[in-house]
């Protein structure tokens, strides 16, 4: 931490509990589609959308924002507009009000401590994150998504991390990436040559964020 100038955070599963959110979303989906069985195809859209993205780990290509909907549309023989309508509602909009109750205790305090120490906060997520951060009451100095036009690549390709370092004019030794998936976040950080921390069963995010705000005062994130 003595040399750290930028901490980069993943979002989903890193800043908030995906398990809690998934429970809330499960019951919301059940309640909605139980009385609208003629719209069950929407559930196939949601499943296929995520599946097609997961299959393309490390994908690099032009206009990724548009391509992700086309992959799903081609598999389901549905229109891109219909795919976007369902995905935008259930993945990018509807869950956001739940995030404040799913955020890990200590996250807001950590962001505050980082600012007090003049350490920049960056966000890098494979999904859009600006609205999610607002819903959690978090502010970052830079927010980057894999589908941004200047990125157009999924993790673990290091393009986004390299972009963040360039924006802040820092070296790889001055950055730390905090994520929750070794095969994506960890490898992405390794590919960019920066240090990283994976929050999982071995490093429980609940206890990590609860304890880190006090430890960071003495430069002891790790």
């Amino acid at each position: 931490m003595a040399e750290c100038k930028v901490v980069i955070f993943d979002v989903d599963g890193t800043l908030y509990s995906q398990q809690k959110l998934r429970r809330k979303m499960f019951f919301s989906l059940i309640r909605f589609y139980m009385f609208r069985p003629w719209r069950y195809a929407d559930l196939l859209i949601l499943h296929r959308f995520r599946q097609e993205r997961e299959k393309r780990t490390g994908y690099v290509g032009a206009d990724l924002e548009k391509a992700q909907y086309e992959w799903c549309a081609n598999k389901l023989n549905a229109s891109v507009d219909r795919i976007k309508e369902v995905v935008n509602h259930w993945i990018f909009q509807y869950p956001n009000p739940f995030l404040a109750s799913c955020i890990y205790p200590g996250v807001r305090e950590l962001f505050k401590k980082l600012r007090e120490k003049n350490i920049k906060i960056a966000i890098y997520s494979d999904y859009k994150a600006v609205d999610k951060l607002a819903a959690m009451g978090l502010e970052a100095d830079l927010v980057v998504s894999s589908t941004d036009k200047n990125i157009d690549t999924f993790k673990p390709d290091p393009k986004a991390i390299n972009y963040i370092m360039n924006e802040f004019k820092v070296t790889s030794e001055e950055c730390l990436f905090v994520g929750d998936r070794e095969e994506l976040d960890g490898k992405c950080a390794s590919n960019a040559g920066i240090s990283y921390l994976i929050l999982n069963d071995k490093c429980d995010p609940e206890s990590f964020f609860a304890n880190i705000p006090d430890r960071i005062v003495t430069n002891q994130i790790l």
Side-chain angles (χ1 to χ4, degrees):
M1 278 303 299
E3 298 180 0
C4 185
K5 294 182 179 180
V6 178
V7 178
I8 306 169
F9 293 94
D10 171 53
V11 178
D12 305 309
T14 299
L15 299 180
Y16 70 87
S17 170
Q18 279 191 305
Q19 185 177 12
K20 289 182 180 179
L21 180 63
R22 284 170 179 165
R23 283 199 299 266
K24 294 175 184 293
M25 286 301 299
F26 174 78
F27 290 113
S28 294
L29 288 166
I30 291 296
R31 283 194 299 267
F32 184 85
Y33 288 102
M34 180 184 298
F35 301 104
R36 299 169 180 84
W38 61 90
R39 294 185 59 177
Y40 279 179
D42 293 356
L43 299 178
L44 296 178
I45 289 175
L46 297 174
H47 173 72
R48 178 61 69 174
F49 178 77
R50 291 187 180 277
Q51 187 179 59
E52 291 301 315
R53 284 176 54 108
E54 288 289 329
K55 285 164 52 177
R56 290 169 171 81
T57 297
Y59 175 89
V60 179
D63 203 352
L64 181 54
E65 170 67 21
K66 180 181 178 181
Q68 63 181 340
Y69 299 110
E70 293 177 337
W71 299 333
C72 183
N74 292 337
K75 291 292 184 179
L76 297 177
N77 193 28
S79 70
V80 170
D81 287 342
R82 180 57 181 159
I83 301 298
K84 291 180 69 173
E85 178 185 0
V86 174
V87 168
N88 285 339
H89 176 71
W90 287 113
I91 293 182
F92 295 125
Q93 297 173 6
Y94 190 92
N96 291 344
F98 296 133
L99 294 180
S101 63
C102 297
I103 189 172
Y104 287 123
V107 170
R108 294 189 184 94
E109 289 77 6
L110 173 56
F111 274 45
K112 180 181 178 182
K113 292 292 185 182
L114 290 173
R115 291 195 181 284
E116 290 174 354
K117 294 181 71 66
N118 294 316
I119 296 175
K120 297 295 184 181
I121 299 171
I123 299 294
Y124 174 37
S125 173
D126 269 339
Y127 286 91
K128 298 175 184 178
V130 173
D131 290 343
K132 293 178 181 179
L133 293 176
M136 290 185 283
L138 299 175
E139 293 184 5
D141 298 292
L142 180 63
V143 181
V144 178
S145 167
S146 289
T147 55
D148 291 347
K149 289 188 178 298
N150 56 338
I151 304 299
D152 276 338
T153 179
F154 285 142
K155 299 171 184 176
D157 188 284
K159 183 177 180 179
I161 293 183
N162 291 331
Y163 170 78
I164 291 170
M165 289 193 290
N166 183 63
E167 286 293 297
F168 288 122
K169 301 297 187 293
V170 295
T171 65
S172 56
E173 291 79 13
E174 296 171 321
C175 293
L176 172 69
F177 190 16
V178 181
D180 70 312
R181 298 180 64 177
E182 178 71 41
E183 72 278 13
L184 293 181
D185 301 318
K187 190 173 181 181
C188 187
S190 293
N191 289 340
I194 70 172
S195 299
Y196 67 91
L197 174 65
I198 298 299
L199 305 179
N200 51 27
D201 294 338
K202 295 181 180 179
C203 183
D204 177 56
E206 292 272 2
S207 58
F208 173 78
F209 284 118
N211 296 325
I212 200 60
D214 291 332
R215 294 172 58 197
I216 200 174
V217 175
T218 56
N219 295 330
Q220 295 179 0
I221 269 196
L222 302 178

